[in-house]
Amino acid sequence: SNVNTALPHKLTPLIRSLMTSLKNEQDEERQIRTCRHIVGLVVILSSKQNSLNGNNDKVQQNKKVRDKILQNLCTLAFTSFGEVINSPKNIAGGPAAERVI
């Protein structure tokens, strides 16, 4: 059975929705759910199942999509970290800045 049969033909709307949720969601339980879905998607995109079926092009395409997701997650993490560090209450040795350093 092909792992990618669970994926929609066009991944962009799914990925966009997950990333938007990750950026904007305030509820911790929903954040966790979103993270679990992103992890699941990355696992599926990392699967080599298709190469066993002779579809190496699909495997390579999925890896490119996976790498882009991971790149965006890293960018989001560093951007969020920078916003926390540079917020007025954290500048010049504020309490949160001390905890990070």
Side-chain angles (χ1 to χ4, degrees):
S1 65
N2 188 338
V3 171
N4 284 325
T5 58
L7 294 176
H9 181 68
K10 294 191 179 215
L11 291 173
T12 302
L14 172 65
I15 295 167
R16 186 179 300 122
S17 296
L18 288 170
M19 295 303 288
T20 299
S21 176
L22 186 62
K23 290 177 194 175
N24 299 329
E25 185 57 60
Q26 298 297 313
D27 181 67
E28 184 177 351
E29 186 175 322
R30 289 182 179 167
Q31 289 173 344
I32 292 169
R33 236 182 294 162
T34 297
C35 289
R36 286 182 179 150
H37 289 301
I38 292 172
V39 168
L41 180 59
V42 168
V43 167
I44 290 170
L45 292 171
S46 299
S47 171
K48 294 182 181 179
Q49 179 90 22
N50 282 329
S51 63
L52 300 175
N53 299 329
N55 193 352
N56 198 40
D57 289 342
K58 187 66 174 172
V59 171
Q60 293 307 314
Q61 180 183 354
N62 286 350
K63 286 183 179 181
K64 286 181 184 178
V65 172
R66 177 206 60 199
D67 291 348
K68 183 67 175 172
I69 292 170
L70 295 174
Q71 178 183 4
N72 288 342
L73 289 171
C74 289
T75 300
L76 177 62
F78 285 115
T79 301
S80 297
F81 182 75
E83 289 171 1
V84 169
I85 294 300
N86 293 320
S87 75
K89 63 183 176 185
N90 296 329
I91 293 180
E98 290 173 9
R99 285 194 302 265
V100 172
I101 297 170

